[in-house]
Amino acid sequence: MKPTIGEHVFQAILVLSISLLCIATIYPFLHIASVSLSSPSEASRFGFHLYPREIDFFAWNQVLSQTKIWTGFGNSVFRTVVGTLLTLVAMSLCAYPLSRKYLPHRSFYTMIILFTMFFGGGIIPTYLLMKWLHLMNSVWVYVVPGLVPTFSMLVLRNFFMGIPTELEESAKIDGANDIRILFSIILPLSKPVLATLALWTAVGHWNSWFDAVLYITDQNKQVLQFFLREIVITNTDAETFGRTVVGNLKYAPAIKAATIMFAALPILIIYPFLQKYFVKGTMIGSLKG
């Protein structure tokens, strides 16, 4: 059938809306990248920055030469990699039994876990709990408290419920136990949703900084986002860079932009490799209740 005028208008509005959304998404990234590579006068210029008119790598050299930036980067990598792997294992061990109808009181256990999604103890009780668990000033405080995110675990549980039980029954006939079934059959079939949840978890770990402010006092255990906050919001490090090198703050805008780019690049590099699983894993994991 030939499209009607209304359909053409709708398509035009849809394309225009998506184009504006893409521009609004891409421009901040281009702006920060341009400022980070610009000279002090160009970085301080008011207006749009789509590309650097005067290229200057001084800000990047300063950021990459800072020891604490690399220390924070290493701690963030440790937190992201170890935290994501342990979270996927813990979620799988929790979601698999909850997805099986023969588990006694399955609905009761699910409701208890779901309760934690809406109600929490608050900052002070959580702080005291971390202190009693001896996690204060430890890198494991980044990983242990959020080991099983409720929403992600429920998405994984729903995905497991969609896997035919005949596969599990056949494996049990061949003598496989539940652990073998989980790691040899269920998880290999769950790559799309696992990749999606891994991306969610990794981005959450990489962007987190508030727990570092609450529980960590040792600068050698701080994450990159903590130092990024110090540079962008409090200006502490930007002032230090500027006064040390040129005696004023003229490089502060470029240093802030370079630090933001340095913190964002790892996720931007990883995302394309997981993007093909993203939509498929989210949709499949959210269909079954």
Side-chain angles (χ1 to χ4, degrees), residues 274-288:
L274 299 178
Q275 189 269 342
K276 62 181 180 179
Y277 297 108
F278 190 79
V279 175
K280 182 179 178 182
T282 304
M283 293 301 295
I284 295 178
S286 61
L287 291 179
K288 214 169 178 60

Side-chain angles (χ1 to χ4, degrees), residues 101-115:
K101 295 181 179 180
Y102 54 77
L103 177 70
H105 312 295
R106 182 183 66 153
S107 299
F108 175 73
Y109 296 138
T110 303
M111 288 301 299
I112 291 178
I113 295 174
L114 185 63
F115 181 85

Side-chain angles (χ1 to χ4, degrees), residues 30-48:
L30 295 177
H31 176 86
I32 295 298
S34 175
V35 171
S36 70
L37 295 171
S38 298
S39 62
S41 59
E42 177 63 18
S44 302
R45 178 179 60 85
F46 179 79
F48 293 99

Side-chain angles (χ1 to χ4, degrees), residues 38 60 148 199 226 242 266 276:
S38 298
W60 276 97
V148 183
L199 180 63
F226 174 83
K276 62 181 180 179

Side-chain angles (χ1 to χ4, degrees), residues 58-100:
F58 181 83
W60 276 97
N61 291 333
Q62 286 299 300
V63 171
L64 297 179
S65 64
Q66 294 299 312
T67 303
K68 62 182 178 180
I69 293 294
W70 286 107
T71 300
F73 180 82
N75 291 331
S76 290
V77 170
F78 170 84
R79 171 181 188 164
T80 302
V81 174
V82 176
T84 300
L85 291 177
L86 292 180
T87 293
L88 289 179
V89 173
M91 284 195 304
S92 300
L93 295 175
C94 181
Y96 177 61
L98 291 177
S99 67
R100 302 299 112 185

Side-chain angles (χ1 to χ4, degrees), residues 47-204:
F48 293 99
H49 291 259
L50 296 178
Y51 61 92
R53 299 179 181 177
E54 301 174 7
I55 297 180
D56 190 338
F57 294 99
F58 181 83
W60 276 97
N61 291 333
Q62 286 299 300
V63 171
L64 297 179
S65 64
Q66 294 299 312
T67 303
K68 62 182 178 180
I69 293 294
W70 286 107
T71 300
F73 180 82
N75 291 331
S76 290
V77 170
F78 170 84
R79 171 181 188 164
T80 302
V81 174
V82 176
T84 300
L85 291 177
L86 292 180
T87 293
L88 289 179
V89 173
M91 284 195 304
S92 300
L93 295 175
C94 181
Y96 177 61
L98 291 177
S99 67
R100 302 299 112 185
K101 295 181 179 180
Y102 54 77
L103 177 70
H105 312 295
R106 182 183 66 153
S107 299
F108 175 73
Y109 296 138
T110 303
M111 288 301 299
I112 291 178
I113 295 174
L114 185 63
F115 181 85
T116 64
M117 187 174 173
F118 302 101
F119 300 96
I123 294 179
I124 295 178
T126 304
Y127 180 89
L128 294 176
L129 178 62
M130 297 303 106
K131 186 175 181 180
W132 292 335
L133 293 175
H134 303 288
L135 291 176
M136 299 293 294
N137 232 26
S138 169
V139 292
W140 293 106
V141 78
Y142 298 138
V143 177
V144 174
L147 195 60
V148 183
T150 304
F151 178 77
S152 297
M153 190 279 294
L154 293 177
V155 171
L156 187 60
R157 164 187 170 270
N158 292 343
F159 187 92
F160 287 167
M161 291 174 64
I163 297 177
T165 57
E166 290 78 9
L167 295 174
E168 182 179 351
E169 294 171 356
S170 299
K172 287 185 175 180
I173 292 175
D174 293 335
N177 57 26
D178 290 329
I179 297 297
R180 179 67 181 274
I181 293 172
L182 173 62
F183 286 96
S184 299
I185 298 177
I186 303 298
L187 293 184
L189 294 174
S190 306
K191 289 181 180 178
V193 71
L194 289 175
T196 301
L197 298 179
L199 180 63
W200 290 354
T201 306
V203 171

Side-chain angles (χ1 to χ4, degrees), residues 209 213 225-239 252 256 259-260:
W209 59 270
V213 175
Q225 301 300 330
F226 174 83
F227 296 116
L228 175 61
R229 174 181 177 273
E230 292 296 308
I231 294 172
V232 175
I233 297 180
T234 67
N235 287 328
T236 302
D237 295 305
E239 292 180 3
K256 291 180 181 181
T259 308
I260 293 173

